[in-house]
Every structure is written in C-alpha cells, then in structure tokens.
Amino acid sequence: MTVRIGVEEEFHIVEVETGRLAPRAAAVLEGLPEYTFTTELQQAAVETNSGVHESLADLYDDVTSARRRLDAAASTHGLAVVAAGTVPLARAADTRPTAGRRYRHMVDEYRLVADEQLICGTHVHVDIPDRDLAVRVMCEVSPWLHTLLALSASSPFWAGTDTGYASWRTMVWQRWPTAGPPGCFADAAEYDAVVRALVGSGVISDAGMIYYDIRPSAHQQTLELRICDACPRAETVVLIAGLFRALVTDARARLAATGTPSCQGRHEWLRAASWRAARSGLEGALIDPATRREAPADQVVRALLGRVRPALEAAGDWATVRGLAERALANGSAARRLRRTAHQDDLLACTDLAIAETRGEERPRPRRAAPDPRVASPPQAAA
C-alpha cells in the first residue's frame, strides 16, 4: 500500500505594483474555506493545507488548484501571493502580527525574532501511525534533509539586499530556540519527555513551537518535514514530497530488516550541512552524508536518488521524481533564477518572476503602469 502524503505551503502577500509586503491576510482569506486556507504569525502571510494523497499527480493537482484559488482571491485586492522563502523587498514595517493570544505572546516574548518572521516554508507530512516508529525514522532520514533544503532554496534576498545565500530563510529561521536538526531519541516517550521539558522551561509555550527540521506531528499521525523554503514552482513541491516519502519508506524498510538504527547519535554535523545547503543551494557544494565531506550538489542529489530508488519504484514515482530532479539540476535552484533576474533588471522584476512562477507561468505578466523608480531600482548586489 502506498503511504499517503500531504503538504502545507506558506505564501507572502505582496502589493503587485510595489512588490512590498501587504498585511492583508484577512481580506485575502475572506470567503475561502478555513480547512484549506489559514493565517500565519504575520498578516502578510497565509498558508494552504492540501488534502491527503497517495499519488504525486493528485498532490500536484491539489497544490496547483489551491494556488489558483489563492491567487484569484488576492488579485481582487490588487495583491499577489508569492511562494518563496523570502521576497526581495520585505520590511518588518510593512506588516503586523495576526490577532490572537498565542501570536501576541510570541511577539511579546521573542521580539525582533517574531517581528522579522517574514519567511515562508514548505512542509510535507508522511503517514506513520506508530509514533515510536516515527521518532526512529526521524533520526534515520535526518542526514539527507539538507539535500531537500538545497532543492527548495528560494530566498537569496533580504530587505533589498543580496545576502550571498541561496536560502536566507534558513538563517532567519534558526534564530528560534528550537529550530534546526532534532536530537536522537529511542522512542516517542523519550521524545515527548524532551518536549515537556522544553515547555516546562518556559522557553517555548507549547509543543507546536518545536521547530525541528523534522518532527512527529503533535496533532496527526504523520512525520513532518519542515526544513524547506517555500517553492515558487509547484513541481518542486512535488519533487520534495516524493523524495521525502521515499526517504521515510526506505528508513522503515532498513529498520525492519536490521532491527537497529544506523544512527550513532552523532548529529553535530547536521547543522553544518544545513548551513552549507543554505549558502550554496544547488549551485555549489553540499555535504555528502556518506563521507561528511563536501561534494558537488548534483552528486549528492543523485546519491539520494540512488538510495531511495527502490522506494520510488515501489510507489510508481521513479520516473516522475527522477525527471523532476534532473530538471532541477539542469535549471538550477529558484534562488539562482531570482538572483539572475535581479542582476539583469531589478528586485521588482525579481518579485514579478516569483509571482509568475507561483501562478504556474513561465514569464511575468506585463506591467500596466511604470512603478515608482525608488522601488523599482534598489541597490544592486555584486554579481
């Protein structure tokens, strides 16, 4: 039986004419069903939740349908939505937090960390009804998660500046106290004890603030991937979902065959691997989990494909995932495309490209009026 998957996508809300963040989530979400579309910490972001699917084709149809509905809702207000880790012209002054006790507490407690939560991610859920197994699988697949981050990298800009990173979202996200690679846990009881201790410490307020790169869901019988940037192209979402499901399936098979985890409890290198992926994306070196040394990104991605090929073939996903992966390696990361557009034109054109790709379009739509030159021509980063 094919394991079911689902996806959560976060989107920035921007003004079409300026590319600036717009705190208009309430207006955009009005009339849309709450079980599919919801708010985030900042009012300049919204989230979609897919259904649960066995087929990658069905997941793609679901994701693209939700994007079309969200884009249509935003367009009626002169707005657009962007699936990317960051948007180039984002400023904290352009948004405000969503109302509610939990969000108010987060803003008061974490201050600038919460104020600058101007980032969006892609989360993938894979069914694992057994929580003990989910915790063990979490440890088994962690060495490969930075590869998925590299495939998703879409956030080279921050507040009008080229950061030099492919995923600056990763660097912003890691400021939260529980963000980053998880530890190694023997079972769900040990994991839950750690979560209770963190809540008891007062550093976080609830289990939902466990922001590990991967975690057992607190509300569903799933293992949740959280390391990835939001992806402008829906095809990248499907690629990452297919690879993550295959990693989980592969880990379950290996655990069943050996009865013992392969992890030796040494996870210090995982944060370094995530940094390398955030810095380079697909355009530089990644850390090879087998050697823990730098290797070309295409080599590491193809090593991942080789590792999970049996799981992909069993699910009927091999041709789809391999094709999408090879296309990603040939075309480069979203960060590369966005940076190239910004260098050739400006950051507003870069935002237009992100809007177009979120809509499933190859090129931005022509502008009806000339933008404010102070917005259209921010300082250009060095090539």
Side-chain angles (χ1 to χ4, degrees), residues 224-299:
E224 181 185 6
L225 174 73
R226 301 178 55 83
I227 196 173
C228 294
D229 281 8
C231 304
R233 292 179 175 173
E235 292 85 353
T236 310
V237 176
V238 172
L239 168 61
I240 290 167
L243 285 171
F244 181 55
R245 175 166 66 180
L247 274 169
V248 170
T249 302
D250 173 75
R252 294 180 66 170
R254 291 173 188 267
L255 286 169
T258 64
T260 57
S262 60
C263 175
Q264 300 172 346
R266 299 297 301 275
H267 279 198
E268 351 28 308
W269 69 280
L270 294 180
R271 190 176 183 90
S274 295
W275 178 88
R276 180 77 270 169
R279 175 68 175 86
S280 303
L282 295 175
E283 283 64 61
L286 297 176
I287 304 300
D288 185 336
T291 65
R292 300 188 184 178
R293 294 181 178 274
E294 288 188 349
D298 63 335
Q299 179 178 313

Side-chain angles (χ1 to χ4, degrees), residues 74-90:
S75 295
T76 62
H77 301 282
L79 306 171
V81 292
V82 174
T86 63
V87 287
L89 298 170

Side-chain angles (χ1 to χ4, degrees), residues 201-232:
S201 74
V203 173
I204 60 174
S205 56
D206 54 62
M209 292 192 68
I210 296 294
Y211 293 151
Y212 294 150
D213 296 337
I214 184 174
R215 69 182 184 185
S217 173
H219 308 293
Q220 304 176 62
Q221 294 181 322
T222 65
L223 192 59
E224 181 185 6
L225 174 73
R226 301 178 55 83
I227 196 173
C228 294
D229 281 8
C231 304

Side-chain angles (χ1 to χ4, degrees), residues 10-74:
E10 297 167 350
F11 299 83
H12 304 277
I13 304 172
V14 298
E15 296 176 345
V16 172
E17 290 305 317
T18 67
R20 301 289 190 190
L21 291 176
R24 304 285 303 280
V28 171
L29 295 177
E30 186 176 1
L32 294 174
E34 293 182 5
Y35 60 84
T36 301
F37 303 90
T38 188
T39 55
E40 280 291 322
L41 170 60
Q42 296 293 345
Q43 272 285 295
V46 292
E47 178 185 291
T48 64
N49 297 280
S50 79
V52 179
H53 302 283
E54 294 184 2
S55 160
L56 291 183
D58 290 343
L59 177 65
Y60 176 79
D61 289 343
D62 191 343
V63 166
T64 53
S65 174
R67 287 181 175 214
R68 285 193 297 271
R69 294 182 68 183
L70 191 59
D71 177 69

Side-chain angles (χ1 to χ4, degrees), residues 20-23 42 89-96 112 115-116 118:
R20 301 289 190 190
L21 291 176
Q42 296 293 345
L89 298 170
R91 302 182 308 174
D94 290 336
T95 188
R96 60 178 182 272
L112 192 62
D115 293 343
E116 292 189 344
L118 312 177

